[in-house]
Amino acid sequence: MQILLPKERGDGVSQSWFEEFLDELTGGFGGATSFVRAPGQGLWRSGNETERDNIAVVEVMAARLAPEYWRSLRERLERELFPGRDRHPRPGNHRAVRF
């Protein structure tokens, strides 16, 4: 599973928040890998404007897909990282995969 996180959000995602998030994933899945030194760039349209984020990628290997867990995590991250925004600010930025 890949999780794309904004590297700067408001005052920025704090190092302690990021470390706690990685610890949470490691505790739940036995490990997590983050790619933050060479961030990607996310672009999306918002009305007539193009918005941008530098993003970090976090990868987790999961033996089973747990849709409720990932849905809940996505909703929590949206609340924490994008307070005051529409519930799904970027349609199509996530998709369910069935195996």
Side-chain angles (χ1 to χ4, degrees):
M1 188 66 75
Q2 282 191 336
I3 303 166
L4 307 178
L5 297 171
K7 288 197 66 177
E8 297 92 22
R9 179 64 32 218
D11 293 331
V13 175
S14 73
Q15 184 69 27
S16 63
W17 182 94
F18 194 75
E19 289 173 5
E20 287 174 19
F21 183 65
L22 290 177
D23 286 344
E24 175 186 338
L25 294 174
T26 299
F29 297 96
T33 303
S34 63
F35 301 91
V36 295
R37 298 229 183 259
Q41 187 174 65
L43 303 170
W44 73 97
R45 297 292 295 172
S46 179
N48 292 327
E49 302 289 323
T50 299
E51 297 193 39
R52 303 169 190 275
D53 269 335
N54 286 326
I55 58 172
V57 177
V58 176
E59 292 184 345
V60 175
M61 299 297 288
R64 292 181 4 182
L65 190 62
E68 287 303 316
Y69 171 81
W70 296 109
R71 186 176 300 110
S72 173
L73 178 63
R74 184 191 72 226
E75 290 171 356
R76 187 186 108 208
L77 293 175
E78 286 175 350
R79 283 191 310 273
E80 290 180 12
L81 301 175
F82 300 97
R85 261 191 156 171
D86 291 339
R87 184 171 169 182
H88 299 289
R90 293 181 235 171
N93 198 34
H94 59 277
R95 55 182 84 106
V97 178
R98 302 273 186 241
F99 295 96

